Amino acid sequence: MTHPLVKATELSCERDGRLLFAHLDIALYGGQMLRIGGQNGSGKSSLLRILAGLLEADSGQVKREDCLWMGHSNAVNGLLTAEENLAFLAALHAPACALQIREALKKVGLQGFEDVPAAQLSAGQQQRIAQARLHLPCPALWLLDEPFTALDSSNTCELERLLVQHCEQGGAVILTTHHDLGAKPAAYFELMLAEQVLA
């Protein structure tokens, strides 16, 4: 792919009288993964939300392709079943048939839980409902905020494998995580944010 899936220029963000970052440039192409790191409060989630178009930067510009956004909150409705939740989340990009949805839930270890209300599932199982979206047709650009939260070691390894595979197939991933990645694509980069001091 000759053009970036997301390109940000001269981004600045200030929150509560603190300058989180300034004059930030990002360009990510298919096949690449960018991990955004830094201490709590350094602006990781804010930057990711700006890149997703969910938050306005104080200055700068973002151009990007359609993206799949997965926020720190898994957006799972406790009143809906696992299957109903995934059908709703999938419809944000491309409606999926019942067979696709059940196959996706199976791939994240939720076979047999399709008809169980999400409120009856553990935090890790609810997180896996949200992540089952990654096994359905979706945009090439993935923006993931702390996707490893509440996952056990087996599911963590599986998600790492999936992210690498996505990049190898021409997709791109930007994520925030405190997790030390055990598997990375060949084109892997890190951006560490540090709180700035306002002049």
Side-chain angles (χ1 to χ4, degrees):
M1 186 172 295
T2 58
H3 66 279
L5 293 178
V6 59
K7 183 176 182 179
T9 54
E10 287 290 307
L11 289 186
S12 298
C13 180
E14 181 183 334
R15 290 289 178 271
D16 301 321
R18 295 184 301 123
L19 183 62
L20 299 181
F21 49 84
H23 310 297
L24 193 60
D25 295 330
I26 295 172
L28 204 71
Y29 295 78
Q32 298 182 331
M33 177 186 290
L34 174 65
R35 176 190 175 192
I36 302 170
Q39 298 295 319
N40 289 338
S42 61
K44 301 184 300 294
S45 293
S46 294
L47 174 55
L48 204 62
R49 291 176 67 85
I50 289 170
L51 296 176
L54 300 173
L55 186 66
E56 188 173 345
D58 287 287
S59 64
Q61 183 178 0
V62 176
K63 294 182 180 179
R64 61 166 173 76
E65 302 289 328
D66 190 20
C67 70
L68 181 146
W69 161 259
M70 188 182 298
H72 197 274
S73 171
N74 58 36
V76 169
N77 186 327
L79 299 177
L80 301 179
T81 66
E83 188 171 359
E84 290 168 339
N85 267 292
L86 186 53
F88 174 79
L89 293 171
L92 296 173
H93 299 291
C97 69
L99 179 60
Q100 288 175 306
I101 289 170
R102 286 183 173 264
E103 280 298 311
L105 290 171
K106 180 180 179 180
K107 287 179 179 177
V108 296
L110 291 177
Q111 186 175 23
F113 294 91
E114 297 91 346
D115 298 322
V116 177
Q120 297 179 23
L121 300 176
S122 69
Q125 288 172 318
Q126 291 183 29
Q127 184 76 350
R128 281 186 274 155
I129 293 173
Q131 291 177 352
R133 296 168 63 193
L134 305 179
H135 291 281
L136 295 171
C138 57
L141 175 62
W142 294 357
L143 304 179
L144 313 176
D145 192 5
E146 296 291 346
F148 296 96
T149 299
L151 295 183
D152 61 22
S153 59
S154 174
N155 288 294
T156 293
C157 289
E158 175 58 25
L159 179 56
E160 285 186 354
R161 184 200 64 78
L162 181 61
L163 298 182
V164 171
Q165 181 185 62
H166 180 64
C167 292
E168 290 175 344
Q169 294 174 346
V173 176
I174 302 179
L175 75 161
T176 67
T177 181
H178 292 286
H179 168 70
D180 187 16
L181 295 169
K184 305 168 186 174
Y188 172 82
F189 309 94
E190 291 189 351
L191 170 64
M192 300 302 294
L193 299 180
E195 183 178 339
Q196 308 292 314
V197 177
L198 285 173

